[in-house]
Amino acid sequence: MARAMRVMRVILAAATAAVCLLLCWQAVDIYLTGNSPDNFSAPGVRINPVYTRELVGSRLAAIAPVLFAYLALVVAGLVLQAAAGEKPKLNAAVPAEDRLQTLYRRIAELPPEARAEQRRRRKVWLSAGAVILGCTVMGGTYLLNAGNFSSLDLEPVVGSMVKHVAPWVALGLAAAAAASVLSGQSARRELEILKSAPKKSPESAASTEKKGALPVLRIALYAAAFVLLALGVANGGLWDVLVKAVNICTECIGLG
């Protein structure tokens, strides 16, 4: 049953992505059809509106079998989940990376396999960062070129911008998503490795956790906040805030 649930989750994820792409394509196709040269008269006036209730309804009717099949698949997934006795999880599980940070304080010495997983995660994120940086440069090159936005006709300008920038955005997001998945898999492997690693003594682990309970940075931020509050009260800022609050209540909201 567990294997069937995993397969069903994969199928539902793929079906959700396919339905989203299908709906997006219908919207884009309607837009392109409505702005095609055939839909403009000689003076440049549209013959038919781009979006109408009838047109959107006809497009949805054309893909209705796919939508109903998707809904049936969702219902089947819920039935299979109920048959397996699984309850929906409202709270997400703690990420493996966060559990690793807690576990590091209890480990006497990291095994070589764990260090290898850490190096693997660093390489994954460095590679993803390089891809994202390249996508940023390519997309930014187009966006920073003022010549691409000189026309007052916004539709061709926006269409060209989407054509040149959207692929780089999609590639950057894909690289970040892939890095997140690979990093999570590596973190889970490291968790399995650390389960058999030698632990610190309870006294040493307790002292380490106690030292890390209140970082120096947090103390510095609290101190800076109190200093800024005191300076604000000393230079009359408290009175200014009170006057503005009174004006908002009596003039804008109308409580007076």
Side-chain angles (χ1 to χ4, degrees):
M1 186 64 73
R3 180 182 177 84
M5 281 301 304
R6 288 195 296 268
V7 173
M8 177 60 73
R9 291 191 183 102
V10 173
I11 294 175
L12 277 174
T16 302
V19 169
C20 289
L21 290 175
L22 180 61
L23 292 173
C24 291
W25 168 247
Q26 292 297 323
V28 171
D29 189 47
I30 292 174
Y31 176 82
L32 295 177
T33 303
N35 288 278
S36 63
D38 297 336
N39 197 33
F40 285 90
S41 61
V45 180
R46 283 194 181 91
I47 301 173
N48 298 311
V50 178
Y51 292 100
T52 61
R53 182 180 301 179
E54 293 76 15
L55 179 59
V56 174
S58 64
R59 293 299 185 98
L60 289 177
I63 62 173
V66 178
L67 298 179
F68 284 120
Y70 173 70
L71 292 177
L73 189 62
V74 172
V75 173
L78 293 175
V79 172
L80 183 61
Q81 182 176 348
E86 294 187 4
K87 296 181 179 180
K89 297 180 180 178
L90 299 180
N91 297 325
V94 178
E97 290 84 352
D98 294 342
R99 284 183 284 168
L100 281 175
Q101 296 302 322
T102 303
L103 196 56
Y104 286 152
R105 296 195 290 265
R106 303 175 184 175
I107 299 298
E109 184 178 358
L110 288 177
E113 297 85 356
R115 297 185 183 278
E117 291 296 339
Q118 292 178 356
R119 291 192 295 268
R120 186 174 291 111
R121 288 199 298 276
R122 282 196 293 268
K123 291 179 181 178
V124 166
W125 282 112
L126 286 174
S127 301
V131 173
I132 294 172
L133 180 60
C135 294
T136 303
V137 171
M138 297 302 296
T141 302
Y142 182 87
L143 293 175
L144 294 176
N145 186 358
N148 296 326
F149 304 94
S150 58
S151 175
L152 297 178
D153 193 359
L154 293 181
E155 291 184 355
V157 170
V158 173
S160 178
M161 181 185 69
V162 171
K163 178 181 177 181
H164 288 85
V165 176
W168 298 112
V169 174
L171 180 59
L173 291 175
S180 180
V181 171
L182 294 175
S183 178
Q185 293 176 349
S186 174
R188 286 190 289 272
R189 287 195 298 268
E190 187 177 355
L191 277 175
E192 294 297 325
I193 295 171
L194 293 182
K195 286 181 180 179
S196 59
K199 305 294 190 298
K200 293 181 181 178
S201 61
E203 296 80 5
S204 177
S207 62
T208 303
E209 292 181 0
K210 187 175 180 181
K211 290 179 181 178
L214 191 62
V216 178
L217 179 60
R218 186 180 302 174
I219 298 175
L221 290 175
Y222 283 146
F226 283 120
V227 169
L228 292 175
L229 286 173
L231 291 176
V233 173
N235 65 9
L238 181 63
W239 176 254
D240 293 336
V241 173
L242 178 61
V243 170
K244 292 178 181 179
V246 171
N247 290 334
I248 290 175
C249 290
T250 57
E251 296 175 4
C252 180
I253 301 176
L255 295 181

